[in-house]
Amino acid sequence: MFRKNTRHLQIPLTSHVDELLEVLRNRLCRSWAETFYREFFCRLDEEPFSVLYADGPSRPNVPVNVLVALEFLKAANGWTDEELYDQVCYNIQVRYALGYRQLGEGYFDLRTLYYFRERPSRHMQETGEKLLEQAFAQVTEEHLQAFGLKTGKQRMDSTQLASNIRQMGRIQLLVTVLQRVWRMLSPSEQERYAEVLEPYLVGHAGQYVYRLKQEDWPVHLQRIGETMLRLLQELEQNYQGNATYQVLARVFAEHFRLEKERLRPKENGELRAESLQSPDDLEATYREKNGKGYRGYVANLTETCDPENPLQLITQVKVAANTVDDSRLLVEAVPTLKQRTGVETLDTDGAYGSAEGDMVLQEHGVTLVQTGIRGRKPDAQRLCLEHFEATQEEDNGLPQQLRCPAQHGLAVTLGPSGKRLQADVPAEVCAACVLRRHCPVQERKRLGVMRLSSTPEDWRRTQRLRRARRQNEGRNLRAAIEATVRSLKHPFPAGKWPVRGRFRVACMVIGSAAVINVRRIHRYLQAQLGGEQTAEWPKSSENRRPGSGEGSLFFFCFCSGPGVAGFGTAPTSGFLLVRCRFLRRSQIFRV
């Protein structure tokens, strides 16, 4: 049964936190734990997670905001599950960040975390709804509004994420699959196939490969393929619905080919990047980038970059197979990003430009500014489309009038095929032009004109190239996102995440990004406060805070009592600042 966690909103009069020395208590209130509690834990909306729990009467759930916060802290700090459990049990900062003030409250078994991870995964498979991604978006949107951040200018970058799988050679992968097929079989079937599979069951797959000579690999690869084919044919009736059998069928189709009843192993160059990299992660793919191979996924990050913002926050995180091109990631990200944040300008590197991306950007009114452009560099000795300026443009961004480098006007029309733009100028005008030898226009003798021909994609690419050159002349707003990428992957050496599967990797990436935002907010608030102790809520935290129940006053004081030092007005309208001598602390309450 789902029950929303509101207990933390009522701070007890006395707690174990109050037993700390005043200097330690003040330090705790100025630490990241206080910012995490206020800016993430209290802002997180638990209601969307209610679909994961039974509607009827049953045992109440462990608070959702506690479980989500722990998952995000685990990702941001690189903790194992055991380390995470120790932190929540014994680390007073972590407990403070989760709204716990007493050491004896909030106990739950570690297995509860495992069950909670499984539920959003199953829910996503059934409905396509990504609850943790929605939670990140909801909290981030509140941050953007609370701190008054401008989201018109944003920057985007991608990074490779290595899955927690062993890097296997081709034969090692196939032998590993055969060993798992053996474990799938019943005792009687194991006896039947003992002789066939015996060579592959001595030690692990790596030891099998170690004993081979390189010149013998083709022979063993052929033998493995014949064994797999026999198993596929004879086990199909009983095991076609089994996950291990399906993996066997997949790797056989990826590595072998039947040609006229003859089995032939595929050449290494014939293997696709989407082929199985490990039987432990069926979604991981392979990609080579800058001469280095990656097995896993790619994360695409977007963050604000307006120079007028006091701090910049990550606004969107997407995880995909690492075979997906950056330009495709942009196409998928722009519609949601525009709807949520109203982005107007995106600063990226050269890999994000494409014809499809130009159309999506034009549709949503977003300008792409790149630090570089893919493709061959133009000849510096010749003029190109970039040197022609549009004096009049259509609504779709295509030119209606052009002006050449010699300041001659050209009217632009759509060609007969409807796929090319053509701009004509009288031949006698070009004949007297000093730039004629370097100009890309071509003569049309029958028409008596000189014609500049291009495609809409060429023109949009030229526009991106112009913006890139202007960007290089001024301040590069994109460069700082490289530091964000490093912060995201810093808890995991060599960028290898300790989980497998796209869903689990995405959950950890989202968690790491959320805590990066909290850390930036914490640094900003500390800079604003100048390091001084304060019990007042920052103006950025007006949405949800302890003791902020609508129309409620959770703390009752007697003005004549000796423990009350006095009342004051908090900087946020509608709150009361109370100072208690007995507890030696200040607290703000909703009135």
Side-chain angles (χ1 to χ4, degrees):
M1 181 180 70
F2 173 77
R3 185 168 67 183
K4 195 173 181 179
N5 180 22
T6 58
R7 185 175 180 179
H8 67 96
L9 298 177
Q10 176 64 65
I11 297 180
L13 292 178
T14 60
S15 67
H16 290 113
V17 173
D18 297 315
E19 296 178 9
L20 294 172
L21 294 175
E22 184 174 6
V23 63
L24 298 180
R25 189 168 62 251
N26 292 340
R27 183 178 177 86
L28 178 62
C29 292
R30 294 196 302 269
S31 70
W32 66 268
E34 178 76 12
T35 306
F36 185 90
Y37 172 69
R38 295 180 178 182
E39 297 298 339
F40 181 83
F41 189 83
C42 292
R43 290 187 183 275
L44 180 65
D45 185 7
E46 300 176 83
E47 197 63 37
F49 292 86
S50 62
V51 297
L52 305 180
Y53 298 91
D55 295 330
S58 59
R59 186 175 180 179
N61 61 291
V62 174
V64 169
N65 50 8
V66 171
L67 297 175
V68 173
L70 287 177
E71 282 292 287
F72 285 11
L73 287 173
K74 167 186 165 72
N77 294 282
W79 293 332
T80 64
D81 286 338
E82 291 293 337
E83 290 171 339
L84 171 66
Y85 197 60
D86 287 342
Q87 293 287 338
V88 73
C89 289
Y90 308 116
N91 189 328
I92 191 172
Q93 274 191 307
V94 173
R95 294 183 60 81
Y96 190 89
L98 302 178
Y100 294 137
R101 302 298 183 266
Q102 305 284 4
L103 294 179
E105 64 177 336
Y107 173 78
F108 60 88
D109 192 84
L110 181 57
R111 190 169 295 275
T112 303
L113 276 173
Y114 303 153
Y115 292 151
F116 179 74
R117 290 171 186 163
E118 189 268 341
R119 287 174 179 170
S121 175
R122 186 173 64 245
H123 180 74
M124 185 202 68
Q125 294 171 3
E126 295 173 352
T127 66
E129 190 177 19
K130 302 176 182 179
L131 295 177
L132 290 178
E133 187 174 319
Q134 292 178 8
F136 171 81
Q138 172 255 316
V139 173
T140 303
E141 287 169 11
E142 289 195 13
H143 287 158
L144 295 174
Q145 183 179 5
F147 289 91
L149 302 183
K150 298 180 180 179
T151 58
K153 295 181 180 180
Q154 299 189 41
R155 53 192 170 215
M156 181 180 291
D157 198 13
S158 65
T159 182
Q160 296 293 320
L161 309 174
S163 177
N164 188 26
I165 56 178
R166 177 183 298 176
Q167 293 192 11
M168 298 182 181
R170 187 174 176 181
I171 294 180
Q172 185 178 357
L173 172 63
L174 299 176
V175 172
T176 300
V177 173
L178 287 176
Q179 291 179 344
R180 298 193 178 194
V181 171
W182 168 264
R183 294 196 290 269
M184 173 192 72
L185 301 176
S186 65
S188 59
E189 289 171 327
Q190 286 183 348
E191 183 177 353
R192 176 185 174 186
Y193 293 104
E195 184 177 352
V196 176
L197 296 176
E198 181 182 5
Y200 312 111
L201 302 178
V202 181
H204 56 75
Q207 293 173 331
Y208 177 88
V209 176
Y210 182 77
R211 294 191 294 267
L212 302 182
K213 295 182 179 180
Q214 186 171 358
E215 56 267 23
D216 296 335
W217 286 359
V219 176
H220 286 270
L221 193 60
Q222 179 74 25
R223 194 174 301 163
I224 290 173
E226 294 171 354
T227 302
M228 285 187 165
L229 179 60
R230 176 182 173 182
L231 292 173
L232 286 171
Q233 294 172 344
E234 298 180 1
L235 300 177
E236 180 179 7
Q237 183 176 357
N238 296 330
Y239 291 96
Q240 59 181 345
N242 187 283
T244 303
Y245 178 88
Q246 293 171 356
V247 171
L248 174 66
R250 175 180 171 180
V251 296
F252 178 80
E254 291 173 345
H255 289 263
F256 301 94
R257 188 190 306 275
L258 281 173
E259 297 177 345
K260 297 180 181 181
E261 301 302 324
R262 180 178 177 273
L263 180 69
R264 180 182 71 83
K266 294 182 180 179
E267 299 294 334
N268 291 337
E270 297 181 76
L271 300 181
R272 296 174 58 86
E274 296 82 4
S275 62
L276 186 70
Q277 302 299 309
S278 169
D280 296 315
D281 190 343
L282 305 183
E283 299 174 290
T285 52
Y286 178 81
R287 179 178 180 178
E288 286 190 4
K289 186 175 181 180
N290 298 327
K292 184 178 180 181
Y294 297 91
R295 291 172 173 84
Y297 306 89
V298 63
N300 192 59
L301 303 181
T302 310
E303 68 176 0
T304 60
C305 65
D306 195 301
E308 297 182 7
N309 287 341
L311 72 159
Q312 312 296 351
L313 297 181
I314 301 174
T315 56
Q316 189 183 73
V317 182
K318 294 289 185 181
V319 175
N322 65 6
T323 54
V324 179
D325 190 71
D326 286 353
S327 60
R328 185 62 196 171
L329 294 174
L330 181 139
V331 170
E332 296 175 355
V334 165
T336 305
L337 201 61
K338 181 67 176 182
Q339 180 183 6
R340 286 182 47 231
T341 65
V343 61
E344 299 173 353
T345 304
L346 268 178
D347 288 67
T348 69
D349 58 25
Y352 282 89
S354 69
E356 184 183 7
D358 290 337
M359 297 299 294
V360 173
L361 292 165
Q362 179 70 31
E363 178 184 353
H364 291 86
V366 180
T367 302
L368 181 65
V369 180
Q370 297 178 264
T371 55
I373 301 293
R374 282 177 171 174
R376 186 176 58 185
K377 293 184 178 180
D379 187 353
Q381 302 299 323
R382 291 187 58 81
L383 300 175
C384 62
L385 192 60
E386 182 186 355
H387 297 93
F388 289 74
E389 296 184 6
T391 57
Q392 185 178 352
E393 292 187 352
E394 300 178 7
D395 294 337
N396 59 5
L398 297 180
Q400 289 182 321
Q401 293 285 338
L402 288 178
R403 184 170 62 245
C404 75
Q407 304 303 310
H408 298 139
L410 295 84
V412 181
T413 59
L414 198 61
S417 65
K419 297 181 180 180
R420 298 189 68 85
L421 302 174
Q422 55 189 34
D424 295 340
V425 64
E428 57 271 16
V429 174
C430 286
C433 181
V434 295
L435 300 176
R436 174 66 188 89
R437 294 177 53 191
H438 307 283
C439 192
V441 296
Q442 298 179 351
E443 184 177 5
R444 294 290 188 270
K445 292 184 179 180
R446 185 173 62 86
L447 301 175
V449 298
M450 305 296 290
R451 175 170 294 175
L452 176 69
S453 179
S454 65
T455 64
E457 290 76 16
D458 291 336
W459 177 255
R460 292 191 176 97
R461 181 180 182 276
T462 298
Q463 295 294 79
R464 287 190 277 111
L465 184 60
R466 284 200 182 100
R467 290 193 294 268
R469 295 193 189 282
R470 289 197 298 266
Q471 172 75 10
N472 293 335
E473 294 173 359
R475 181 179 178 182
N476 187 351
L477 296 178
R478 191 208 69 86
I481 200 172
E482 301 288 354
T484 303
V485 170
R486 182 186 181 279
S487 299
L488 185 82
K489 301 168 64 174
H490 180 69
F492 310 104
K496 188 169 186 176
W497 297 72
V499 292
R500 301 164 184 161
R502 179 176 169 181
F503 177 79
R504 285 293 295 130
V505 171
C507 290
M508 295 203 72
V509 172
I510 291 170
S512 182
V515 177
I516 287 174
N517 282 349
V518 173
R519 287 168 176 163
R520 291 179 176 181
I521 292 173
H522 177 66
R523 289 195 295 268
Y524 168 72
L525 294 177
Q526 291 298 304
Q528 290 292 102
L529 299 175
E532 298 179 0
Q533 177 186 1
T534 179
E536 299 176 354
W537 286 97
K539 293 183 179 180
S540 61
S541 303
E542 296 180 2
N543 292 324
R544 296 186 181 92
R545 51 175 64 79
S548 62
E550 288 296 332
S552 301
L553 181 64
F554 292 98
F555 192 100
F556 294 92
C557 301
F558 297 96
C559 294
S560 59
V564 178
F567 296 89
T569 303
T572 305
S573 176
F575 289 85
L576 183 67
L577 176 63
V578 180
R579 175 66 179 172
C580 181
R581 289 197 188 97
F582 179 74
L583 298 179
R584 295 180 296 174
R585 67 175 181 177
S586 299
Q587 186 64 50
I588 290 181
F589 302 98
R590 183 71 173 261
V591 294

